[in-house]
Amino acid sequence: MLLSLFALVCEEDELTISELALQNFRCYEHVVLELPRGLNIFVGPNASGKTSLLEAVLVLATTKSPRTLHDYELVRWDNVWGRVSGQFRSGEGQAVRIAVTLKGSGEPVDGAAAAPSYLTGAKHLEVDGQTCDAAAQVVGRAPAVFFSPDGLQLVKGAPSRRRRFLNTAIAQITPRHLDDLRRYRRALAQRNALLKQVARGEADGATLAPWTSQLVEAGARISADRERFVGQLSTVAADLDGTLTGGRECLEMRYQGVVAGVSDEQEREAVLREQLDKQWSREVQLGATQVGPHRDEVAVSVNGRPLRQFGSQGQQRTAALAIKLAEAQVIGQRRGELPVLLLDDCLSELDPKRASWLLELLAGFDQVFVTSAVATEALQQSNWTAWYNLAEGAIDQERRGAAGNESQTKREDQRCQ
Amino acid sequence: MLKYALPLQKLIGELEKLPGIGPKSAQRLAFFLLSRSDDEVGELGLAVLALKAEIGLCSRCHNYTTGDLCPICEDPGRDISVICVVEQASDLMALERSGEYEGVYHVLGGALSPVADIKPSDLYIAELLERIREMRLREVIIATSPTVEGDATGEYLRQLIAQLPEPPQVTRIALGLPVGGDLDYADQVTLARSLRGRTKMEG
């Protein structure tokens, strides 16, 4: 079953990051890494900068960090600015360079470390040297999927956590989704402000209609995208979870939105509008829009029981991993190229059997980054193409060809403090 | 700490309020002005004063003008059966530069925004409806920005105009691809929107 899933994407194009350059990013002052396709393994003690490398790749893919909502935290402490750039290649040899420059928390001291002049705001985005005004111009160029132990929150956390997951995943398939989300949030803020004004008698309820129209238009598209994605995700995640648990468990994901199950776009708009109209008096009372994609939820269950409340920690962990791996595969199916897979410290939580199963599965991806605090046997015996030892401010890279017999060692001149 | 003389402080403070001017630029501009001759600085001062003293709003379309009516409303060659509705006078100028439009305009003075507390009564909407009633229009072109606010304002106007007796046709300017640009270089959001707003080919 797993093999057949990969067959859907294997013959298509591939995508890899061939070079990653960091400047004042997290603990790195300056580092340039050349990255081969295949399995890249990063081993080093805690706080040696493993996660930051994976985080940097995700920042290039999505313009955002999975670890923080505050971009300035990505910049090396006390620095005015930081930058991450990467060269991505397709199988056909086409290359694209993405760069993200970020404003840091440091104050500029005379002359020394002033930010580049193009950094006028908090963040500057570039594709092939061209400034991009909107994230939608960058997201989707080079998709990546990041999973860390914190990914457990995907099943355990609040619904907003799962909505955020959907937003990032779908945006990497359809960048237009970001524009829909932006317009939806804007319309929601305006509509809520107006609802409060109506409640205070400062505005006429009739002026609500144009904002409802804006909300409904973007909202119907968002819910359609989400329902389609969750449907595809559920099938793949169930297969992966089944394999991880030896077929003992049946994972199910269901999109729960106010317009779930309606396929026609105009009908979706009509249903959402109808639901909003029904809530009208309650909405004025509460001063907030009560239905719509901002209240969506994805129900995750195992063997028919809601996983969030009734799952064991172990069940939640394997389900979260299965869902993230499924995300990567669905993105791959929809785009015709698999995303770069970033697995941060995930093996330590799996028993040896599942760890080696996972490593086998990873062979189906074009490029995978795995971090671990310990060089486990499963890792050493895996079919890696590059092995990085991170210690005392240096990154040692060892490479070997596909056959696994020739290898060369290279020391990156860099500093991680 | 050493402070600037009061007039200098005041000027820096005023300059900082301008769009795109930060504290550093404001200081540089203020010191530059201080170094110029009295005549030169006087010219600038007079020009700034004249701006508000001599320029007002066109009594018909609310475009900027030095007289009662703006040059477009005064032009007998314009087609007064079509009104193009824009948010700002600068939008009007952009459309004028295209040289494509023969009708007249109506400047709203902004777009609706409950968040910024901009209500219908803060815009020249009642004036627009009055003009439509009086002029027996053929068409109203909504040319507000393609933002959530601009679109909502356009939708609001459409609903109001539809309630008038013998309402004119209401159209919305098309959103689409930049001319001369290759399809594969257009950004995906623009492409997605122009696909949604596609028009039927007549032949």
Side-chain angles (χ1 to χ4, degrees):
Chain A
M1 187 62 215
L2 279 175
L3 287 174
S4 68
L5 284 170
F6 279 113
L8 285 170
V9 280
C10 269
E11 286 171 34
E12 305 290 331
D13 205 358
E14 71 167 50
L15 174 94
T16 56
I17 175 167
S18 56
E19 187 200 283
L20 177 69
L22 307 179
Q23 211 174 335
N24 296 330
F25 184 87
R26 288 285 188 188
C27 66
Y28 292 99
E29 189 179 334
H30 184 79
V31 61
V32 181
L33 281 179
E34 275 174 42
L35 304 154
R37 68 187 301 285
L39 184 55
N40 289 258
I41 296 177
F42 299 83
V43 176
N46 293 339
S48 58
K50 305 184 296 290
T51 305
S52 304
L53 295 172
L54 272 55
E55 181 182 34
V57 179
L58 200 79
V59 168
L60 294 175
T62 67
T63 76
K64 281 182 189 159
S65 162
R67 294 160 82 194
T68 174
L69 295 171
H70 308 291
D71 288 330
Y72 66 85
E73 288 176 14
L74 299 174
V75 177
R76 196 158 171 265
W77 169 248
D78 224 17
N79 273 259
V80 182
W81 65 289
R83 180 178 164 95
V84 45
S85 80
Q87 176 91 33
F88 292 85
R89 281 179 195 287
S90 72
E92 290 160 344
Q94 277 182 322
V96 61
R97 177 168 283 279
I98 301 175
V100 178
T101 311
L102 303 147
K103 194 172 182 304
S105 56
E107 287 294 321
V109 193
D110 279 324
S117 59
Y118 54 77
L119 185 64
T120 47
K123 183 152 68 176
H124 177 264
L125 308 172
E126 249 168 79
V127 172
D128 286 334
Q130 301 284 316
T131 298
C132 297
D133 303 322
Q137 290 170 265
V138 179
V139 179
R141 296 283 186 140
V145 168
F146 175 86
F147 184 67
S148 72
D150 188 45
L152 181 62
Q153 293 302 318
L154 184 55
V155 286
K156 221 181 164 182
S160 62
R161 186 62 213 258
R162 283 177 287 286
R163 287 194 293 270
R164 215 158 63 220
F165 160 73
L166 294 181
N167 295 349
T168 313
I170 299 170
Q172 295 200 79
I173 299 170
T174 323
R176 185 253 313 148
H177 194 64
L178 283 178
D179 186 53
D180 289 336
L181 288 168
R182 199 172 49 85
R183 286 183 71 93
Y184 185 83
R185 287 190 195 112
R186 193 77 197 142
L188 188 66
Q190 294 283 16
R191 193 172 186 272
N192 287 347
L194 190 56
L195 282 169
K196 290 189 184 79
Q197 289 172 5
V198 172
R200 290 196 300 262
E202 292 167 13
D204 179 2
T207 56
L208 203 68
W211 300 108
T212 306
S213 295
Q214 298 302 312
L215 191 79
V216 160
E217 207 187 292
R221 278 199 300 275
I222 292 169
S223 73
D225 284 340
R226 285 181 177 175
E227 187 160 19
R228 181 178 174 200
F229 177 73
V230 174
Q232 294 169 325
L233 190 72
S234 179
T235 317
V236 184
D239 281 329
L240 289 165
D241 191 62
T243 314
L244 268 167
T245 58
R248 274 182 289 117
E249 294 186 349
C250 178
L251 177 71
E252 207 182 336
M253 301 179 77
R254 211 155 37 81
Y255 170 71
Q256 293 181 321
V258 63
V259 279
V262 187
S263 55
D264 180 69
E265 189 175 322
Q266 276 179 351
E267 206 177 319
R268 261 179 199 275
E269 288 188 18
V271 171
L272 184 52
R273 194 183 292 274
E274 196 183 302
Q275 291 296 325
L276 284 165
D277 287 345
K278 266 192 204 162
Q279 297 283 334
W280 156 250
S281 57
R282 220 166 84 87
E283 287 188 327
V284 172
Q285 216 172 44
L286 297 166
T289 302
Q290 295 301 304
V291 290
H294 64 294
R295 295 285 175 92
D296 278 357
E297 166 66 305
V298 180
V300 185
S301 63
V302 162
N303 299 336
R305 291 192 199 139
L307 191 56
R308 192 181 165 199
Q309 296 98 326
F310 298 104
S312 72
Q313 183 96 340
Q315 280 177 322
Q316 290 174 341
R317 264 188 213 295
T318 41
L321 180 60
I323 292 168
K324 288 303 281 191
L325 291 170
E327 177 197 357
Q329 290 183 9
V330 171
I331 292 176
Q333 285 169 21
R334 295 268 297 269
R335 294 183 47 107
E337 61 192 3
L338 282 158
V340 175
L341 190 59
L342 311 161
L343 297 178
D344 186 34
D345 196 19
C346 295
L347 291 160
S348 57
E349 292 169 351
L350 299 174
D351 59 43
K353 194 179 146 208
R354 282 176 196 170
S356 57
W357 171 83
L358 178 62
L359 286 165
E360 241 172 78
L361 178 82
L362 298 183
F365 285 85
D366 299 320
Q367 195 177 34
V368 184
F369 295 175
V370 172
T371 70
S372 175
V374 216
T376 61
E377 205 171 313
L379 280 176
Q380 282 165 337
Q381 284 168 7
S382 69
N383 199 14
W384 54 266
T385 49
W387 185 288
Y388 308 79
N389 283 313
L390 284 74
E392 288 163 25
I395 302 178
D396 279 332
Q397 189 191 75
E398 190 183 337
R399 281 207 197 191
R400 66 184 184 197
N405 40 20
E406 33 166 329
S407 76
Q408 58 179 89
T409 312
K410 183 176 159 191
R411 178 168 271 244
E412 297 291 331
D413 178 26
Q414 71 87 44
R415 208 164 286 278
C416 178
Q417 294 161 334
Chain B
M1 202 177 122
L2 192 65
K3 278 190 177 167
Y4 294 133
L6 209 58
L8 196 55
Q9 264 185 51
K10 191 161 168 16
L11 180 63
I12 292 172
E14 291 302 318
L15 289 170
E16 265 183 56
K17 294 179 192 165
L18 300 175
I21 305 283
K24 273 192 176 170
S25 305
Q27 273 181 36
R28 204 168 60 230
L29 289 172
F31 276 107
F32 172 80
L33 289 172
L34 202 56
S35 73
R36 308 314 288 177
S37 70
D38 288 6
D39 281 357
E40 260 180 286
V41 179
E43 286 282 320
L44 179 68
L46 287 175
V48 173
L49 286 176
L51 195 67
K52 292 306 277 186
E54 290 171 25
I55 295 184
L57 294 182
C58 169
S59 61
R60 202 173 285 163
C61 75
H62 304 97
N63 182 17
Y64 291 122
T65 178
T66 49
D68 176 44
L69 289 179
C70 75
I72 295 167
C73 287
E74 268 184 340
D75 184 348
R78 308 289 295 213
D79 179 357
I80 56 165
S81 68
V82 187
I83 289 185
C84 179
V85 182
V86 293
E87 288 177 21
Q88 308 288 355
S90 52
D91 301 333
L92 178 157
M93 292 308 289
L95 284 163
E96 265 312 277
R97 276 193 297 271
S98 76
E100 190 67 23
Y101 181 61
E102 308 270 305
V104 291
Y105 293 91
H106 189 86
V107 181
L108 290 172
L112 294 174
S113 172
V115 169
D117 204 17
I118 300 175
K119 299 184 178 67
S121 57
D122 297 321
L123 306 175
Y124 296 113
I125 290 177
E127 289 82 351
L128 172 67
L129 297 178
E130 192 54 41
R131 279 180 80 188
I132 297 171
R133 260 194 295 265
E134 277 175 8
M135 284 166 60
R136 297 195 147 265
L137 287 181
R138 198 156 48 82
E139 183 179 355
V140 176
I141 303 171
I142 307 285
T144 49
S145 306
T147 56
V148 170
E149 289 76 12
D151 285 341
T153 307
E155 175 64 16
Y156 180 70
L157 293 177
R158 185 194 65 76
Q159 288 172 7
L160 286 181
I161 294 168
Q163 288 164 16
L164 295 174
E166 293 176 58
Q169 177 180 224
V170 180
T171 56
R172 180 86 172 101
I173 50 161
L175 302 173
L177 303 168
V179 176
D182 279 327
L183 215 57
D184 46 335
Y185 281 107
D187 78 87
Q188 304 211 32
V189 174
T190 308
L191 268 174
R193 280 208 211 169
S194 53
L195 266 174
R196 282 203 297 277
R198 65 189 182 275
T199 51
K200 193 176 170 191
M201 287 176 74
E202 312 280 351

